[in-house]
Amino acid sequence: QSALTQPRSVSGSPGQSVTISCTGTSSDVGGYNYVSWYQQHPGKAPKLMIYDVIKRPSGVPDRFSGSKSGNTASLTISGLQAEDEADYYCCSYAGSYTYVFGTGTKVTVL
Amino acid sequence: EVQLVESGGGLVKPGGSLRLSCAASGFTFSSYSMNWVRQAPGKGLEWVSFIISSSTYIYYADSVKGRFTISRDNAKNSLYLQMNSLRAEDTAVYYCAVHGYRESGSSNWFDPWGQGTLVTVSS
């Protein structure tokens, strides 16, 4: 299982929007609507931000949204805030209760 | 409040063994599948293993298959990872994570996570 491809870094000013892509194959991202996204601050455990491509857990701000087209999923952060600066990872179901994570994207708030 | 506390990490020589534990509280552990996910220093996340609530179904990443064994004791609210034939590339923080907790949907997500335990494989 090869890691899903994410940009190494994205950046934006406070209030702007940024989008992180997550590209896989028809065996993972493209084959299932089971993509999740995780936020990880330095030294901390990951936190679930989006699940099942577009669903947002309770407590996650609505400025976080997810989408998918073909083999590429995306996470958009609208109205960027300083506390959004973190690493973000996508993850996709890959069949038979196996999962593959993305390479990770560092979001910088300028 | 859900709590997951990993333990058992440490320094081990290549070829050695280690057993990680994850103590769960604040939810009905026996009702949920569980996972181990690892993160090498400065690197990304890697899914390691999945175990269904009844232990009937168990799956591994190819990178650990045949060397690692996941198990659980629902009476003790505990998850385990027996790691044998350890290699330098197994050096990582190991997290336990609940499978599909709380939200309604496919259950194909990890939440919440423990704080992790560091395993270092070095001579």
Side-chain angles (χ1 to χ4, degrees):
Chain A
Q1 301 136 335
S2 298
L4 308 175
T5 301
Q6 297 181 231
R8 182 175 292 271
S9 64
V10 300
S11 61
S13 299
Q16 287 187 329
S17 293
V18 295
T19 295
I20 303 168
S21 61
C22 168
T23 301
T25 70
S26 58
S27 297
D28 38 63
V29 175
Y32 309 93
N33 287 322
Y34 301 151
V35 175
S36 52
W37 289 89
Y38 302 86
Q39 177 192 65
Q40 187 180 34
H41 287 107
K44 301 294 187 181
K47 174 188 175 185
L48 178 69
M49 304 302 284
I50 294 288
Y51 67 99
D52 289 354
V53 178
I54 60 172
K55 298 179 181 178
R56 199 171 45 249
S58 56
V60 172
D62 60 6
R63 63 177 185 276
F64 290 88
S65 62
S67 63
K68 193 188 87 166
S69 177
N71 296 337
T72 299
S74 299
L75 173 72
T76 297
I77 310 173
S78 305
L80 200 60
Q81 297 186 7
E83 59 261 37
D84 299 334
E85 185 162 296
D87 293 326
Y88 291 82
Y89 295 91
C90 61
C91 181
S92 176
Y93 181 68
S96 300
Y97 285 108
T98 65
Y99 298 84
V100 58
F101 280 92
T103 50
T105 298
K106 180 175 180 58
V107 171
T108 300
V109 181
L110 301 172
Chain B
E1 181 195 359
V2 172
Q3 263 204 316
L4 299 167
V5 180
E6 300 94 336
S7 61
L11 176 63
V12 61
K13 289 182 168 53
S17 299
L18 214 53
R19 189 195 195 207
L20 306 183
S21 299
C22 170
S25 61
F27 68 109
T28 307
F29 178 76
S30 59
S31 296
Y32 289 91
S33 301
M34 296 290 295
N35 295 269
W36 286 100
V37 178
R38 68 184 181 182
Q39 186 170 35
K43 303 295 184 183
L45 300 169
E46 180 188 15
W47 172 79
V48 172
S49 184
F50 164 94
I51 184 169
I52 207 167
S53 54
S54 63
S55 301
T56 307
Y57 297 106
I58 286 173
Y59 299 92
Y60 299 98
D62 289 343
S63 57
V64 307
K65 202 173 294 182
R67 300 187 299 121
F68 289 11
T69 302
I70 191 173
S71 63
R72 63 190 295 162
D73 185 334
N74 288 340
K76 294 183 178 179
N77 289 340
S78 292
L79 175 73
Y80 306 101
L81 186 67
Q82 177 66 43
M83 303 185 296
N84 298 331
S85 303
L86 282 162
R87 307 165 180 167
E89 54 264 36
D90 295 318
T91 295
V93 172
Y94 285 74
Y95 296 98
C96 61
V98 185
H99 196 87
Y101 177 72
R102 185 177 56 184
E103 309 294 338
S104 61
S106 72
S107 299
N108 290 296
W109 62 86
F110 311 116
D111 179 65
W113 301 55
Q115 86 290 347
T117 187
L118 176 62
V119 172
T120 303
V121 184
S122 174
S123 54

